[in-house]
Amino acid sequence: MTDIIDQASAREEMDRALAIARATAKPTRPGLPFCDDCSEAVSPTRQAFGARLCIDCQRDSELRAATIGKRA
């Protein structure tokens, strides 16, 4: 079982990695809508369902939400 300091450290590391990815990301496929977090192209399948995040950012978002929910 991890303590709150380990959880905070893991979250900080994830947030830092996401910030670096956002700052250094370059669009890879012009003409497609881009992710709100990292600016990568959102796949046409995800667009059809109204997704605004790429699959990787969506997974990270859900992981953060689940981690925060465990502390409550």
Side-chain angles (χ1 to χ4, degrees):
M1 182 174 193
T2 60
D3 66 3
I4 195 160
I5 294 173
D6 291 335
Q7 291 173 356
S9 178
R11 175 153 186 210
E12 179 184 9
E13 185 177 333
M14 187 183 328
D15 288 345
R16 183 180 307 114
L18 288 172
I20 291 169
R22 254 186 245 120
T24 60
K26 303 235 182 325
T28 56
R29 294 179 280 177
L32 295 175
F34 298 105
C35 175
D36 287 349
D37 282 352
C38 72
S39 301
E40 289 293 321
V42 177
S43 71
T45 305
R46 291 188 54 72
Q47 293 172 38
F49 290 98
R52 296 181 54 130
L53 299 176
C54 69
I55 191 72
D56 292 332
C57 289
Q58 183 67 42
R59 186 180 326 113
D60 291 342
S61 175
E62 291 173 5
L63 180 62
R64 277 194 310 272
T67 301
I68 292 170
K70 288 180 183 177
R71 292 191 323 193

